[in-house]
């Protein structure tokens, strides 16, 4: 019952509309008093005072860079409207009958809820109550686990891909599901000891049948704050799979944070744990042992959005023996880019050189790793002035290091769900032929 409540959708459907309608009714009631000069002035003072508090809040949020991105006109409008309505409710607490006071108190709660839901719906990244409050609701997934081959290497040959691309050899059975399957999986932190939230898993239609083929693997990391939720990538991959006989990568949405309010900057640190080792050792080992996946780097993709994009860029630069493909959606130029001085002091013990060395561009320029066959896609929203120069700089560094690089600006997108969806769509447009899931284009 409680899990069902947490799974309630709050960016569309009846819940947000019900709250918005009730808030509008409360607002009208609280305005509706005899139009005497005294009340008109009182109501205007309440509305204006709430709006001024809203503008002060917006200024503080922008000055402190609370969300890591500038607020938009839409979010500012929701904030101003919410605080103005609350101001009106507050002035209704004086010189009023008890039932108006009750409506005013309930109205304050409704206005706060309506504003929160409005801003959240605009961002589109927290579709349920659970995701809004950073709670992971576990939905354990039944994985079509491979049968070990006692005559061979249980990890497979990391250098050997299929003789022919999958799109040429795969014939889907009649009973193949029409869409992918989503769920959660606790990945043991055997090597790293990192405290992570359950990973999200996406199994495409082709992975759900008997004698399923070995498929490409994508390890995806979301933003901060954020949750390891597979639904965004699943939505796009279901569309691609429907056009390609059910073929798509198996996706692990891994938790590189540990909790949505902290940022281990994709590194192993004493203070916040071994986030890097968790992704590159534990998640990788679990995938090899439990998923029907191709084993060679050319069929493995490390991907991320925002905070996760910076991680993906770093791991692609540092571990080309694992990941032959990188999808960086609206990513940071380097992990910890928002507060580098604080990160150096708190996570790197004041060692600025150690912090510099873990930056993806520094790893690329060190020439410590060969890149015989790396494909990378960097995407960013056209209305994302904070991250657009970072994405462009990252793509230029990758290209200079010899990666086959695509840089794409998503028209009209910001740094929210539109950028995420657009990034997946462009990324898979390029990756599908590369991964052998569709015929080459052009």
């Amino acid at each position: 019952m409680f899990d069902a409540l947490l799974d309630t959708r709050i960016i569309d459907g009846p819940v947000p509309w019900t709250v918005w309608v009730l808030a509008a009714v409360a607002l009208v009631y609280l305005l509706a008093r005899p139009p005497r000069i005294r009340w008109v002035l009182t109501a205007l003072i309440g509305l204006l005072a709430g709006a001024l508090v809203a503008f002060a809040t917006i200024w503080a949020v922008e000055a402190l860079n609370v969300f890591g991105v500038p607020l938009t006109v839409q979010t500012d409008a929701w904030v101003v409207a919410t605080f103005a309505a609350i101001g009106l409710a507050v002035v209704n607490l004086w010189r009023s009958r008890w039932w108006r006071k009750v409506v005013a108190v309930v109205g304050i709660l409704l206005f706060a809820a309506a504003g929160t839901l409005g801003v959240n719906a605009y961002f589109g990244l927290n579709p349920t109550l659970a995701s809004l409050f950073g709670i992971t609701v576990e939905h354990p997934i039944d994985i079509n686990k491979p049968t070990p081959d006692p005559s061979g290497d249980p990890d497979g040959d990391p250098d050997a891909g299929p003789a022919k691309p999958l799109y040429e050899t795969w014939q889907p059975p009649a009973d193949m599901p029409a869409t992918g399957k989503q769920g959660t999986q606790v990945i043991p932190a055997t090597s790293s000891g990192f405290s992570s939230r359950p990973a999200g898993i996406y199994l495409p239609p082709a992975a759900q049948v008997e004698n399923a083929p070995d498929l490409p693997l994508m390890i995806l990391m979301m933003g901060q704050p954020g949750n390891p939720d597979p639904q965004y990538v699943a939505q796009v991959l279901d569309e691609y799979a429907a056009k390609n006989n059910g073929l798509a990568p198996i996706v692990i949405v891994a938790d590189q944070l540990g909790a949505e309010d902290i940022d281990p900057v994709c590194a192993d640190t004493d203070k916040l744990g071994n986030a890097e080792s968790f992704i590159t050792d534990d998640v990788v080992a679990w995938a090899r042992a439990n998923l029907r996946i191709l084993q060679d780097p050319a069929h493995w993709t490390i991907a991320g959005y925002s905070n996760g994009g910076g991680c993906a860029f770093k791991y692609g630069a540092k571990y080309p023996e694992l990941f032959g493909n990188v999808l960086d959606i609206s990513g940071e130029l380097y992990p910890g880019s928002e507060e580098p001085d604080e990160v150096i002091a708190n996570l790197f013990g004041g060692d600025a050189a150690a912090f510099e060395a873990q930056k993806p561009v520094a790893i690329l320029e060190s020439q410590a790793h060969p890149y015989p066959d790396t494909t990378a896609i960097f995407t960013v929203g056209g209305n994302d002035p904070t991250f657009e120069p970072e994405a462009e700089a990252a793509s230029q560094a990758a290209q200079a290091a010899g990666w086959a690089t695509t840089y794409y600006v998503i028209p009209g997108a910001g740094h929210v769900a539109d950028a995420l969806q657009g990034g997946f769509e462009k990324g898979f447009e390029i990756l599908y032929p590369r991964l052998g899931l569709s015929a080459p284009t052009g």
Side-chain angles (χ1 to χ4, degrees), residues 66-84:
V66 172
F67 298 111
V69 294
L71 298 179
T72 64
V73 173
Q74 293 89 337
T75 56
D76 289 350
W78 273 109
V79 172
V80 172
T82 298
F83 277 86

Side-chain angles (χ1 to χ4, degrees), residues 175-209:
D175 62 347
M176 185 182 71
T179 59
K181 181 168 62 174
Q182 302 174 50
T184 61
Q185 175 67 47
V186 175
I187 297 180
T190 307
S191 173
S192 67
F194 184 69
S195 178
S196 73
R197 295 168 290 178
I201 303 291
Y202 171 78
L203 298 178
Q208 301 176 54
V209 300

Side-chain angles (χ1 to χ4, degrees), residues 142-170:
D142 182 18
I143 295 170
N144 195 357
K145 193 172 181 178
T147 302
D149 181 0
S151 64
D153 179 358
D155 289 342
D157 182 352
D159 298 318
K164 290 185 177 181
L166 276 171
Y167 79 90
E168 291 185 3
T169 61
W170 167 246

Side-chain angles (χ1 to χ4, degrees), residues 4-19:
L5 177 63
L6 290 173
D7 281 332
T8 301
R9 289 189 65 82
I10 57 171
I11 60 172
D12 51 29
V15 171
W17 280 106
T18 299
V19 173

Side-chain angles (χ1 to χ4, degrees), residues 39-384:
W39 166 241
V40 172
L41 290 175
T42 301
L44 288 175
I45 289 171
L47 291 167
L48 181 59
L52 290 175
V53 171
F55 285 120
T57 301
I58 292 168
W59 177 85
V61 168
E62 293 279 15
L64 297 174
N65 195 28
V66 172
F67 298 111
V69 294
L71 298 179
T72 64
V73 173
Q74 293 89 337
T75 56
D76 289 350
W78 273 109
V79 172
V80 172
T82 298
F83 277 86
I86 290 174
L88 176 67
V90 169
V91 297
N92 269 272
L93 294 172
W94 284 273
R95 298 179 179 273
S96 61
R97 298 184 183 274
W98 68 266
W99 55 82
R100 181 171 285 271
K101 288 181 171 62
V102 170
V103 173
V105 171
V106 173
I108 290 171
L109 298 177
L110 281 172
F111 301 147
T116 300
L117 291 174
V119 171
N120 183 67
Y122 170 74
F123 280 103
L125 296 175
N126 293 309
T128 65
L129 280 175
S131 56
L132 180 65
F133 292 107
I135 300 170
T136 300
V137 179
E138 293 192 39
H139 298 285
I141 191 168
D142 182 18
I143 295 170
N144 195 357
K145 193 172 181 178
T147 302
D149 181 0
S151 64
D153 179 358
D155 289 342
D157 182 352
D159 298 318
K164 290 185 177 181
L166 276 171
Y167 79 90
E168 291 185 3
T169 61
W170 167 246
Q171 293 296 324
D175 62 347
M176 185 182 71
T179 59
K181 181 168 62 174
Q182 302 174 50
T184 61
Q185 175 67 47
V186 175
I187 297 180
T190 307
S191 173
S192 67
F194 184 69
S195 178
S196 73
R197 295 168 290 178
I201 303 291
Y202 171 78
L203 298 178
Q208 301 176 54
V209 300
E210 286 190 38
N211 302 313
D214 289 345
L215 292 165
L217 173 70
M218 170 176 281
I219 297 176
L220 169 67
M221 296 161 288
M222 295 295 286
Q224 192 270 332
N227 304 283
D229 189 340
Q231 69 170 299
Y232 305 99
V233 68
Q235 178 182 349
V236 176
L237 280 180
D238 274 349
E239 295 174 0
Y240 270 87
K243 301 174 184 176
N244 293 281
N245 292 321
L247 292 173
I250 293 175
V251 182
I252 302 173
V253 188
D255 178 26
Q256 83 281 12
L257 301 175
E260 69 166 12
D261 58 342
I262 62 175
D263 180 10
V265 298
C266 321
D268 291 347
T269 65
D270 292 337
K271 186 172 183 179
L272 295 181
N274 298 323
E276 180 174 339
S277 294
F278 175 69
I279 299 295
T280 59
D281 291 339
D282 293 321
V283 175
V284 165
W286 183 87
R288 290 192 189 280
N290 292 278
L291 299 175
R292 292 178 177 267
I293 51 175
L294 297 164
Q295 301 287 337
D296 58 311
H299 289 89
W300 280 33
T301 302
I302 187 72
Y305 159 67
S306 195
N307 177 284
C311 296
F313 185 25
K314 174 185 174 179
Y315 298 155
K318 193 171 180 179
Y319 301 97
E321 71 278 9
L322 292 177
F323 308 111
N325 308 287
V326 176
L327 175 56
D328 182 346
I329 300 173
S330 302
E332 300 171 337
L333 180 58
Y334 57 89
S337 62
E338 293 179 3
E339 298 176 328
D341 292 340
E342 183 176 330
V343 169
I344 291 170
N346 293 339
L347 300 185
F348 287 85
D351 189 343
F355 177 68
E356 290 294 325
Q358 64 91 42
K359 292 181 178 180
V361 173
I363 295 170
L364 292 174
E365 293 177 346
S366 72
Q367 300 185 346
H369 306 277
Y371 303 108
D373 184 28
T374 298
T375 292
I377 305 100
F378 298 86
T379 71
V380 68
N383 291 334
D384 188 358

